[in-house]
Amino acid sequence: MEFSVISPVIFNKLTDKNNPKSAGLKYTVTVTPTAVEYSFPLMQEEVVKAFIEDSSPMFFQSKKLTEKASEKYIKQGQDLVKKNPLLIHYSSGRSVLMNCIQDRNYSIEKRFLLMNFVIKSMQNMIDQGKGDEVPKFVNSFFAHTDRSDIIDYFKSITPNFAFSCIDAVSMINSLPDTPRFKPVKEKFLERLGYSKDGSDLMSRPFEEFRDSYIEMKRWFYESYLKQGKEDSKEYYLENVIIGFIWSMNMPFSDFSKNIWDNFAFLNILFNTLKVLLTVYVTEENGDDGFVEAVCALDESLRAVNNGLVRVTIDSLDKRGFNTNGDMAVLAMS
């Protein structure tokens, strides 16, 4: 059995007992079918700051546990798979998410299209009783670094900013008003022209604030993140999504849902995050605003009782939006 930690430089920084800023930081330890994973909740400022301070691609280091220490974890991992057979695909799914989200040949939005394609293909194989072909399929995907043909598969996708924004507003307004999240949510709603308590969400259509939202989006991506430029900070979003993938045990955050449903939740989370940041981060608050918004969102997500993934996916199913096309539209909007 192995234990896995985030990039050693970041891990060492966040666990340095001689660094007063790392004192009291919390981490979680999760047993998965193949490893014991250490992760840091993103509701902690120093964690998010560490994630955005280094533009180098993040990686995860695995080390072998001693045979004695491994015994109980191997047994726990085996029991997990017995109770939830789909978890046999945990490692393949995790590898796909990590590989795609760090493929800097494509924009952050298009990386979600790559995930979309591969995870949907994996789900189709599983549904057809061909789950044993998943590892071979995933390895063939990794072997091809030019993925333009996959991106072309989604070329008919047209962004729908109303769908993206309103879906994110709805989710943000439904999350618990934790101490850190409440003021962030109120400022977010006010910048869009809503009341602080969100009581007028149903009476104010997107068209009324479309122009101001598009301007915010343009500033956030072009001026703040500098997407596509040599000094781009797009890795901010990349690393934060990695933090969510790791700390929420994707691609099986909810064992009661299949691998596609769990990815769909991650896609919804990405859309919610990018809309929140688009509206909340300004020229005045900059990186501080970015860190505040990420920490607040994570704090509120963790305050939700069990079932966040299930409730989100059930809502998608009821609305008929749980398709790879819908998820592609959200990612690209």
Side-chain angles (χ1 to χ4, degrees):
M1 198 74 164
E2 298 180 331
F3 75 89
S4 302
V5 299
I6 205 163
S7 300
V9 172
I10 294 177
F11 182 82
N12 292 338
K13 182 176 182 179
L14 294 176
T15 57
D16 183 1
K17 295 181 180 179
N18 296 317
N19 180 4
K21 291 185 177 180
S22 66
L25 288 183
K26 297 179 180 180
Y27 63 89
T28 59
V29 180
T30 306
V31 178
T32 74
T34 55
V36 182
E37 297 179 354
Y38 289 69
S39 61
F40 295 86
L42 295 176
M43 61 184 184
Q44 304 171 104
E45 283 189 11
E46 290 306 314
V47 173
V48 180
K49 288 179 180 178
F51 278 20
I52 68 174
E53 283 175 354
D54 190 352
S55 62
S56 302
M58 293 175 68
F59 65 96
F60 295 83
Q61 180 174 353
S62 295
K63 294 183 179 180
K64 288 285 186 182
L65 290 170
T66 64
E67 184 175 346
K68 184 175 181 180
S70 293
E71 289 179 0
K72 67 174 182 179
Y73 295 124
I74 291 174
K75 178 67 166 56
Q76 289 178 32
Q78 291 172 341
D79 289 343
L80 280 173
V81 176
K82 286 180 182 178
K83 294 178 182 178
N84 306 277
L86 282 176
L87 288 180
I88 196 171
H89 303 296
Y90 183 91
S91 294
S92 293
R94 168 63 67 82
S95 297
V96 164
L97 298 183
M98 293 300 299
N99 179 280
C100 292
I101 198 63
Q102 296 193 96
D103 190 339
R104 295 184 177 180
N105 293 309
Y106 306 96
S107 69
I108 193 77
E109 294 87 358
K110 289 182 178 179
R111 296 177 213 178
F112 269 81
L113 298 184
L114 296 176
M115 285 188 247
N116 183 321
F117 177 86
V118 182
I119 296 296
K120 191 64 172 178
S121 298
M122 290 171 64
Q123 185 62 58
N124 288 340
M125 291 179 186
I126 295 168
D127 291 343
Q128 294 167 12
K130 300 178 180 178
D132 57 333
E133 296 180 9
V134 166
K136 182 178 179 181
F137 168 73
V138 169
N139 287 333
S140 69
F141 170 75
F142 290 159
H144 293 84
T145 55
D146 181 0
R147 295 155 177 178
S148 54
D149 55 336
I150 296 177
I151 300 300
D152 286 344
Y153 173 79
F154 295 96
K155 63 184 178 182
S156 63
I157 292 296
T158 301
N160 186 328
F161 299 116
F163 175 33
S164 169
C165 183
I166 296 303
D167 194 79
V169 169
S170 177
M171 183 165 183
I172 288 169
N173 192 58
S174 68
L175 290 172
D177 282 338
T178 58
R180 180 169 241 153
F181 185 66
K182 184 177 180 181
V184 168
K185 183 181 81 171
E186 289 178 345
K187 183 175 180 180
F188 168 82
L189 292 174
E190 282 189 311
R191 289 207 76 207
L192 290 176
Y194 292 114
S195 60
K196 282 185 177 183
D197 61 5
S199 59
D200 54 351
L201 291 188
M202 299 301 292
S203 60
R204 191 157 188 267
F206 177 75
E207 287 70 22
E208 289 189 11
F209 57 87
R210 181 186 186 282
D211 291 346
S212 60
Y213 174 72
I214 295 301
E215 186 55 39
M216 291 177 198
K217 190 174 181 67
R218 182 178 295 112
W219 179 86
F220 179 71
Y221 279 92
E222 294 182 3
S223 300
Y224 178 69
L225 289 184
K226 300 179 181 178
Q227 190 178 50
K229 299 179 182 178
E230 189 173 343
D231 57 345
S232 172
K233 296 194 295 187
E234 192 173 30
Y235 72 89
Y236 278 25
L237 282 178
E238 173 187 320
N239 288 354
V240 166
I241 291 298
I242 288 173
F244 278 118
I245 288 172
W246 204 250
S247 66
M248 298 186 82
N249 305 116
M250 287 294 173
F252 284 106
S253 185
D254 187 327
F255 294 170
S256 72
K257 292 295 183 181
N258 60 37
I259 194 169
W260 169 259
D261 285 343
N262 276 274
F263 165 73
F265 173 78
L266 180 63
N267 200 94
I268 292 285
L269 178 58
F270 170 58
N271 181 68
T272 303
L273 174 67
K274 70 181 180 181
V275 173
L276 175 62
L277 292 170
T278 291
V279 177
Y280 189 80
V281 179
T282 64
E283 191 170 0
E284 289 71 35
N285 62 27
D287 286 357
D288 288 339
F290 185 98
V291 173
E292 286 172 8
V294 173
C295 291
L297 179 61
D298 190 59
E299 179 189 77
S300 186
L301 288 169
R302 291 177 185 279
V304 177
N305 291 327
N306 291 335
L308 179 61
V309 176
R310 175 175 45 79
V311 170
T312 302
I313 296 305
D314 287 349
S315 175
L316 281 179
D317 288 338
K318 287 179 181 178
R319 292 183 290 158
F321 290 154
N322 192 8
T323 70
N324 62 330
D326 294 316
M327 293 302 103
V329 170
L330 275 186
M332 294 301 294
S333 299

